[in-house]
Amino acid sequence: MLARVWSAAVVGIDAVKIGVEVDLSGGLPKIIVLGLPDAAVQESRERVKSTLKNAGYAFPMGNIVVNLTPADLRKEGPSFDLPISVGILAASQQIKPDLLGDFLFLGEVSLDGSLRPVTGVLPIAAAAQQLGITGIVLPEDNAQEAAVVQGLSTYGFKTITEVTHFLNYPDSIKPFTLSHTTAPTPTQALNLDLKDVKGQLHGRRALEIAATGGHNLVFVGPPGSGKTMLARRLPGILPPLTFDEALEVTRIHSVAGLLKHRGTLVHQRSFRSPHHSASGPSLVGGGTYPRPGEISLAHRGILFLDELTEFKRDVLEFLRQPLEDGFVTVTRTRQSVVFPAQFTLVASTNPCPCGYYGDPIQACTCSPRQREQYWGKLSGPLMDRIDLQVAVNRLKPEEITQNFQGEDSTTVRERVQEGRDRARHRFKQEPGLQCNAEMRSSHIQRWCKLDTTSLQLLETAIRQLGLSARASDRILKVARTIADLIGEDQIKSPHIAEAIQYRTIDRLA
């Protein structure tokens, strides 16, 4: 007898509907799985067999053929355990087949019949309605994640026995719903507060501009000047994720397997800080079956590269395309997937190998040739894509010993939110545009018009600093954010002048 059950697979962060066809026929007892299954899917033959027997079901004798369609798409992971189990029970007439066409089944089974959570549930649930599915059946631990999607009936179960009881008596169980007690409360990373930073007014101002406009930022300064301390306080002044942003971020984390024990939506912006020994694929994503890398896990958040010049040059070059386009394409022999990567790059570096070039207290021991080789690790096209290049100087003794505290993160975040609200109001007719750093050339021409004085100031900076067209556009975007922070509709010469000051590395070159 033939039975068909629906499941799904994740390709990138999108879902593909998978048909699980089970055919029972006479012959020697064996199970054959077709349709490009990986090792985990092949192993499901033995898991399912032991699970059904231990749960008290009669495992059918004879030849069992399981066909996963479409046959040319690679199937991976243990999430097909449950649909294969349900298909075998339906084909052997141990459950009613009436609801199989309306539901999508996901889940790993244990040998005792319990269901274990799987990854990638949210992208599948989000796409279920477009796939013609009205409900989803999955492990109880994944129910909150799937229930985020409105209009989809979600049923979470602890054991396969509960699943079969539901299929035989569907009116006995109601779908899972999120309540005020199960839905998480958005939180902010306020454990690192700006009020703990002494001095560094220039660096604090740069953080506020970066948070408001989503601008890429690099701190340049000697060891111990507070570069990392400043960077790690950026998440605390960022506004919370909107619902649409949270849905995007959660889909990525779900595919990466980071949501098994984290409830539902990710409400806090990511702060990813890979070590300088990280490889290119670990940053952009990859693998035999492509998975998101650090830049996609930092989507709508922060990617922090401490000691930027310690990263290999070829690894840093991987960042150029995602920084410009906001997504990364990973291509393999059988498939090509696109991962979103709209992140803010924040980095820190010393001004030279010894770290003390330009320091007023400790003399630099590096030769001009050594400094040139040191900065040679950072290509011009990459630095053009960094809007804010900020010099962070060593604190003076009186600044170290003072008890005065600056503004806290909550106060700064309120100004950041006001600045972002002005930008969103301006971009309300531009779908997908969230902040000033995402503006394209057409947007800059429309919203970054300059008066004669400001234009002359910008032309002088381009001429004296040898700026590229991309770098000049970055100055205009930063100036637009500075104007937003003080509620100005028109960019003026003081805004341009301040934006030019944030080209530290260009002035050092």
Side-chain angles (χ1 to χ4, degrees):
M1 184 175 178
L2 176 66
R4 179 182 284 110
V5 179
W6 294 113
S7 187
V10 175
V11 179
I13 62 169
D14 298 316
V16 177
K17 191 176 182 180
I18 301 296
V20 181
E21 300 173 334
V22 179
D23 179 68
L24 304 183
S25 60
L28 294 175
K30 61 180 177 180
I31 305 176
I32 302 174
V33 181
L34 308 175
L36 288 181
D38 72 347
V41 181
Q42 289 284 9
E43 291 172 355
S44 67
R45 297 176 299 176
E46 302 303 323
R47 281 197 302 271
V48 167
K49 185 176 180 179
S50 297
T51 296
L52 295 181
K53 287 183 177 180
N54 292 334
Y57 298 99
F59 192 82
M61 302 301 292
N63 186 31
I64 302 176
V65 178
V66 179
N67 184 37
L68 306 177
T69 61
D72 60 345
L73 179 67
R74 185 76 175 178
K75 320 301 187 307
E76 58 178 295
S79 62
F80 295 103
D81 288 1
L82 180 58
I84 291 175
S85 300
V86 171
I88 291 176
L89 292 175
S92 59
Q93 300 182 347
Q94 299 182 66
I95 60 174
K96 297 179 181 179
D98 303 348
L99 300 180
L100 298 186
D102 299 327
F103 285 86
L104 189 147
F105 297 83
L106 293 171
E108 177 184 351
V109 298
S110 296
L111 299 186
D112 62 356
S114 60
L115 302 182
R116 297 173 55 83
V118 294
T119 62
V121 169
L122 184 59
I124 292 174
Q129 292 173 313
Q130 299 177 358
L131 299 175
I133 299 297
T134 59
I136 185 169
V137 176
L138 70 179
E140 186 179 52
D141 290 342
N142 289 127
Q144 288 194 62
E145 184 180 344
V148 171
V149 180
Q150 299 179 353
L152 180 71
S153 298
T154 301
Y155 294 87
F157 299 103
K158 294 181 179 179
T159 66
I160 193 170
T161 303
E162 294 178 358
V163 174
T164 59
H165 179 75
F166 163 69
L167 294 174
N168 288 326
Y169 308 99
D171 296 333
S172 63
I173 300 176
K174 294 183 178 180
F176 178 88
T177 56
L178 284 177
S179 64
H180 295 293
T181 57
T182 58
T185 301
T187 57
Q188 279 292 332
L190 296 180
N191 53 324
L192 298 177
D193 201 294
L194 268 180
K195 68 181 180 182
D196 300 326
V197 178
K198 295 182 178 181
Q200 303 299 0
L201 297 181
H202 191 50
R204 292 169 61 100
R205 171 67 171 173
L207 280 182
E208 185 174 341
I209 295 172
T212 305
H215 302 289
N216 300 321
L217 167 67
V218 60
F219 288 120
V220 183
S225 57
K227 304 184 297 295
T228 302
M229 185 179 186
L230 283 166
R232 292 191 177 277
R233 278 153 179 77
L234 180 55
I237 63 175
L238 289 172
L241 291 168
T242 65
F243 178 80
D244 290 339
E245 289 175 335
L247 194 59
E248 291 178 10
V249 173
T250 307
R251 290 176 65 181
I252 298 171
H253 283 239
S254 176
V255 171
L258 302 180
L259 289 181
K260 284 186 177 180
H261 307 289
R262 294 186 59 183
T264 56
L265 288 181
V266 176
H267 289 280
Q268 187 170 302
R269 294 183 185 271
S270 301
F271 184 89
R272 307 294 299 185
S273 181
H275 191 260
H276 61 75
S277 61
S279 64
S282 71
L283 287 182
V284 302
T288 305
Y289 311 117
R291 286 288 183 266
E294 289 292 332
I295 62 175
S296 293
L297 294 174
H299 182 62
R300 300 299 179 188
I302 306 298
L303 177 68
F304 177 49
L305 303 184
D306 200 7
E307 301 299 338
L308 180 65
T309 48
E310 296 300 321
F311 285 80
K312 295 180 180 179
R313 177 174 175 135
D314 60 334
V315 172
L316 294 177
E317 293 304 295
F318 278 98
L319 299 176
R320 287 168 53 178
Q321 182 260 334
L323 283 173
E324 193 70 22
D325 299 334
F327 63 86
V328 60
T329 303
V330 180
T331 303
R332 293 295 180 264
T333 303
R334 290 185 174 272
Q335 61 180 337
S336 179
V337 299
V338 177
F339 295 118
Q342 193 71 56
F343 61 94
T344 299
L345 175 64
V346 179
S348 67
T349 184
N350 295 331
C352 67
C354 76
Y356 295 101
Y357 179 64
D359 187 75
I361 299 177
Q362 187 164 339
C364 174
T365 60
C366 304
S367 66
R369 176 62 176 169
Q370 287 176 315
R371 289 195 293 269
E372 181 180 352
Q373 291 178 338
Y374 182 77
W375 284 108
K377 296 180 181 180
L378 306 178
S379 67
L382 176 63
M383 299 312 298
D384 272 352
R385 289 170 168 84
I386 298 181
D387 307 8
L388 304 169
Q389 306 166 4
V390 182
V392 179
N393 298 318
R394 186 200 298 259
L395 290 177
K396 299 177 181 178
E398 58 270 22
E399 290 178 318
I400 297 175
T401 58
Q402 70 179 355
N403 294 322
F404 173 77
Q405 288 185 335
E407 287 184 308
D408 58 22
S409 293
T410 301
T411 303
V412 177
R413 189 171 67 252
E414 291 174 355
R415 288 201 301 270
V416 169
Q417 184 66 68
E418 291 175 0
R420 286 218 173 192
D421 289 343
R422 292 189 185 97
R424 285 200 178 99
H425 179 73
R426 183 167 58 246
F427 302 145
K428 60 184 178 181
Q429 301 299 328
E430 298 288 340
L433 201 57
Q434 299 288 331
C435 54
N436 291 328
E438 299 175 11
M439 289 193 295
R440 302 294 182 182
S441 297
S442 59
H443 305 137
I444 294 174
Q445 294 175 6
R446 180 179 177 184
W447 289 307
C448 298
K449 297 179 179 179
L450 303 180
D451 56 28
T452 303
T453 304
S454 301
L455 188 60
Q456 291 176 347
L457 181 60
L458 179 60
E459 289 175 350
T460 301
I462 294 173
R463 187 179 302 108
Q464 293 184 353
L465 300 179
L467 300 178
S468 66
R470 181 186 290 114
S472 65
D473 284 348
R474 301 280 173 175
I475 290 177
L476 289 172
K477 293 178 184 180
V478 172
R480 178 66 269 170
T481 299
I482 294 171
D484 286 341
L485 277 170
I486 58 176
E488 292 281 355
D489 294 329
Q490 182 68 32
I491 296 177
K492 299 179 180 179
S493 54
H495 310 147
I496 293 291
E498 183 177 359
I500 293 172
Q501 291 180 8
Y502 297 115
R503 304 302 300 183
T504 297
I505 296 177
D506 292 324
R507 298 201 301 271
L508 288 175

